[in-house]
Amino acid sequence: AQKVTQAQTEISVVEKEDVTLDCVYETRDTTYYLFWYKQPPSGELVFLIRRNSFDEQNEISGRYSWNFQKSTSSFNFTITASQVVDSAVYFCALSNNNDMRFGAGTRLTVKP
Amino acid sequence: DTGVSQNPRHKITKRGQNVTFRCDPISEHNRLYWYRQTLGQGPEFLTYFQNEAQLEKSRLLSDRFSAERPKGSFSTLEIQRTEQGDSAMYLCASSFVGMGTDTQYFGPGTRLTVL
């Protein structure tokens, strides 16, 4: 069975701090995909990144970076120099083709 | 706007009534997914279509839930004899299947309140 755990329910930081959102997954498949989505207060899920299980290269996109480690089954997300607009619920998800499983989400609040 | 659209955005109904939601996917996308999201939880997969074919429906929550995508374009999700426990956000996503897995793009959701 596939499972995604986001142990941090809520995180609060002050603007310009760095913050890391943790994601741990379980799967028996050798081929799988990992995702991060952002859900701002408006409610619409916004796609941030997709990673396949054969690509462990870390990725950086502006202030966002992702650390994928198969050895620990983790796919963590770091926001550098956080901003108020980063306040949202962030979901990690695991997919094997058709079966997408989401974690329960981490609510990030960035205070000015 | 060429994203996924959902209508209505909000629906309030009385227990026992039937409701139907519509999803219009991104035009070139061949897959369409339905999810339910309750407060404080991540989206929960319900069903999906590839073109007109419903390829997975075992995770629909009960036989009161059904979905259609008659022409491989828009889709509808119907809940019959609604119960208070059906109150949730219903999300639609679409994707294009090419090589490997697909990236799903989500609509704004329909928030259902059952009184």
Side-chain angles (χ1 to χ4, degrees):
Chain A
Q2 302 195 125
K3 184 179 177 182
V4 176
T5 302
Q6 294 180 256
Q8 304 150 308
T9 305
E10 295 191 29
I11 300 176
S12 181
V13 299
V14 176
E15 205 169 21
K16 297 184 183 176
E17 285 185 15
D18 299 347
V19 57
T20 296
L21 309 181
D22 298 332
C23 173
V24 174
Y25 63 92
E26 294 175 31
T27 181
R28 293 180 181 176
D29 298 317
T30 54
T31 301
Y32 53 88
Y33 296 81
L34 295 162
F35 299 79
W36 276 94
Y37 284 86
K38 173 182 180 180
Q39 189 171 42
S42 60
E44 188 161 343
L45 280 159
V46 177
F47 166 73
L48 295 178
I49 190 171
R50 179 181 100 182
R51 238 356 179 203
N52 75 55
S53 52
F54 300 109
D55 183 1
E56 286 192 75
Q57 265 195 327
N58 292 330
E59 180 156 340
I60 298 174
S61 175
R63 295 183 298 106
Y64 295 171
S65 62
W66 291 269
N67 184 335
F68 176 26
Q69 292 194 344
K70 284 179 76 170
S71 60
T72 55
S73 296
S74 65
F75 186 43
N76 296 338
F77 173 30
T78 297
I79 302 175
T80 303
S82 59
Q83 299 176 1
V84 172
V85 294
D86 296 328
S87 296
V89 181
Y90 290 85
F91 291 97
C92 180
L94 167 68
S95 174
N96 175 10
N97 203 14
N98 311 321
D99 186 5
M100 176 93 93
R101 304 276 176 152
F102 284 80
T106 298
R107 179 177 298 279
L108 173 66
T109 302
V110 182
K111 299 178 181 177
Chain B
D1 185 5
T2 56
V4 178
S5 62
Q6 292 186 245
N7 287 289
R9 294 292 307 276
H10 302 272
K11 178 70 177 179
I12 301 174
T13 191
K14 293 182 179 178
R15 190 177 54 183
Q17 298 294 306
N18 299 344
V19 294
T20 300
F21 310 140
R22 175 176 171 131
C23 172
D24 288 90
I26 294 170
S27 58
E28 63 268 24
H29 284 185
N30 53 5
R31 278 198 182 166
L32 187 149
Y33 299 78
W34 285 100
Y35 290 82
R36 182 180 78 160
Q37 186 178 19
T38 53
L39 201 61
Q41 298 299 315
E44 176 187 11
F45 170 79
L46 297 177
T47 187
Y48 87 100
F49 295 84
Q50 181 153 326
N51 301 312
E52 310 84 19
Q54 190 172 11
L55 298 186
E56 174 60 66
K57 55 183 179 179
S58 65
R59 286 162 63 182
L60 284 167
L61 300 164
S62 78
D63 58 8
R64 297 183 298 104
F65 287 71
S66 63
E68 293 183 343
R69 193 182 185 198
K71 297 181 180 179
S73 57
F74 73 91
S75 175
T76 57
L77 177 70
E78 182 181 16
I79 308 173
Q80 296 183 326
R81 305 180 303 281
T82 52
E83 301 173 356
Q84 287 185 325
D86 297 332
S87 295
M89 177 76 87
Y90 291 84
L91 297 168
C92 175
S94 72
S95 69
F96 177 77
V97 178
M99 299 289 289
T101 200
D102 46 324
T103 295
Q104 297 178 30
Y105 295 89
F106 284 80
T110 295
R111 182 168 296 283
L112 173 65
T113 302
V114 182
L115 302 176

